[in-house]
Amino acid sequence: MPSHLSREELKKKRDKYIIPSVKQLYADAPNFVRGEKQFLYDEKGKEYLDMFAGIVTVSVGHCHPKVVARTVEQVKTLQHTSTSFMTEPMVELAEKLADITPGNLSKSFITNSGTEANEAAIKLARLASGRNEVIALEHSYHGESHLANALTGNHNYRPQLQPAAGIFFAANAYCYRCPFQKHPTSCHLECAKDVERVIQTQTSGKPAVMIAEPIQGVGGAITPPDEYFKEVKKILENYGVLFIADEVQTGFGRTGKHMFGISNWGVQPDFITMAKGLGNGFPIGAFITTPEIADANQRPQINTFGGNPVSAATASAVIDVIKEEKIMENAKAMGDYLFDGLNDLKKSFPFMADIRGKGLMVGIELADENKTPMVAETQKIVEAAKDDGVILGKGGLWGNVIRLKPPMIINKGDIDTTLKSMRKAMEGVAKVAVTK
Ligand SMILES: Cc1ncc(COP(=O)(O)O)c(C=O)c1O
């Protein structure tokens, strides 16, 4: 094994050379030096089961050999031309995206990240509609640029933000903490109807577009009820508003039954934005839309690295693997197994207050009997599981949601390992929680 810096040495350098707002999940962070399948390895050779996939990104497993082979082949052949020149990998990828996305979505703009995909989609939606205002949801996360930050309904990611003009937030479909204090069985989808209230009271009545994650990722796997997006789409159509499904986390089979999360709600979006799982760790993003919407902008648009041969070839290989290895089917089967295990675990730990999500996009919100978010305890559990060799994710507005969004190749044994590790970690905090 090549020699690596100790984690202490690396941390020292990191603190010196990386800006402090780039936070680490762990107080005692390993120095990860290698990844293979669903596992990560630190500088000491210790193995970790990766149940977070580098923030929902390593879709088909770390360093998948077929994907790596395609990347390496392309790196050796042609690395770059820019969007101003025609190459096969970009067009091949765009064709594959048209093939796997629902309805008549068929024209893509390929970017380097999810942030850029959202930026570009909003720009085109504004041009196509001739309107300006945008609706987003509370608790959302849409990226790191000024516009994407301003679309993000979570103050943690908006420090001293001078908000971009013309963005309005509707309540999200957060059934566990319903913004309207209703119960899902009798709420009449008040949250969906909030979109109409926002259009009527906060906008000109003619917003350009609404952007929403089918399941809010950073927000903590917040999963709307079955009829939610149908109701929202009906309202948007009444007001001539376009709809962007931000599938940066929910895409590529992660929710188990459909290639893209929004299809679980039986709704056809005007745009899908994507990134993360598309590249399996290689930097790439994209939006796809209809020919009619795409045609609305005929001015030149450049993205120097967007759809470059290496990232495009890599993404094409990822899509091939997802199909060939029945990755989506595995996400469904393993998701079901995971939900059963989590519900079983909840019998011992009632502070697992809300278990939600679809497929392998899962969140467990930790709260006491008064619904007070258990923030410090969540961090303790995540840290203890890591010491035990299991990487859990964390999220939610208050940081009290454990996020399980692993590479979609995991098996039942991996889930058993995760549940065992969570049990052990939660036993450590259970006593405190009960006496709170
Ligand atoms: C739903 C969603 N949209 C957009 C983004 C931004 O993607 P990127 O970090 O690739 O810019 C993220 C990142 O976490 C995301 O979760």
Side-chain angles (χ1 to χ4, degrees), residues 51-62:
M51 291 298 287
F52 198 36
I55 321 186
V56 209
T57 296
V58 182
S59 45
V60 298
H62 290 277

Side-chain angles (χ1 to χ4, degrees), residues 39-56:
F39 301 106
L40 285 166
Y41 299 87
D42 71 12
E43 78 285 4
K44 295 173 188 155
K46 178 174 169 176
E47 182 180 274
Y48 299 79
L49 173 62
D50 183 3
M51 291 298 287
F52 198 36
I55 321 186
V56 209

Side-chain angles (χ1 to χ4, degrees), residues 55 113-116 118 141-143 213 218 246 248-249 275-276:
I55 321 186
S113 67
T115 299
E116 282 186 347
N118 285 337
Y141 182 84
H142 294 294
E213 301 154 83
V218 173
D246 178 341
V248 167
Q249 294 207 15
K276 291 190 184 280

Side-chain angles (χ1 to χ4, degrees), residues 217-249:
V218 173
I222 296 174
T223 310
D226 290 348
E227 294 305 313
Y228 172 78
F229 278 112
K230 270 206 185 112
E231 185 67 24
V232 167
K233 191 68 173 35
K234 206 165 72 188
I235 294 165
L236 297 179
E237 280 169 10
N238 282 344
Y239 289 85
V241 182
L242 296 171
F243 177 50
I244 300 171
D246 178 341
E247 299 262 7
V248 167
Q249 294 207 15

Side-chain angles (χ1 to χ4, degrees), residues 10-74:
L10 182 62
K11 183 169 184 325
K12 225 165 152 186
K13 277 200 185 205
R14 186 187 185 282
D15 292 348
K16 188 168 175 195
Y17 293 115
I18 304 285
I19 58 170
S21 57
V22 180
K23 302 286 183 208
Q24 294 286 282
L25 182 54
Y26 302 122
D28 173 31
N31 171 10
F32 289 126
V33 297
R34 192 167 74 81
E36 189 180 341
K37 298 181 178 165
Q38 59 272 52
F39 301 106
L40 285 166
Y41 299 87
D42 71 12
E43 78 285 4
K44 295 173 188 155
K46 178 174 169 176
E47 182 180 274
Y48 299 79
L49 173 62
D50 183 3
M51 291 298 287
F52 198 36
I55 321 186
V56 209
T57 296
V58 182
S59 45
V60 298
H62 290 277
C63 304
H64 191 293
K66 278 190 193 158
V67 177
V68 171
R70 188 79 199 276
T71 310
V72 170
E73 182 196 326
Q74 190 62 50

Side-chain angles (χ1 to χ4, degrees), residues 4 53 140 168 191 226 281 303 310 350 425:
H4 293 285
S140 59
F168 303 94
C191 52
D226 290 348
N303 190 321
V310 183

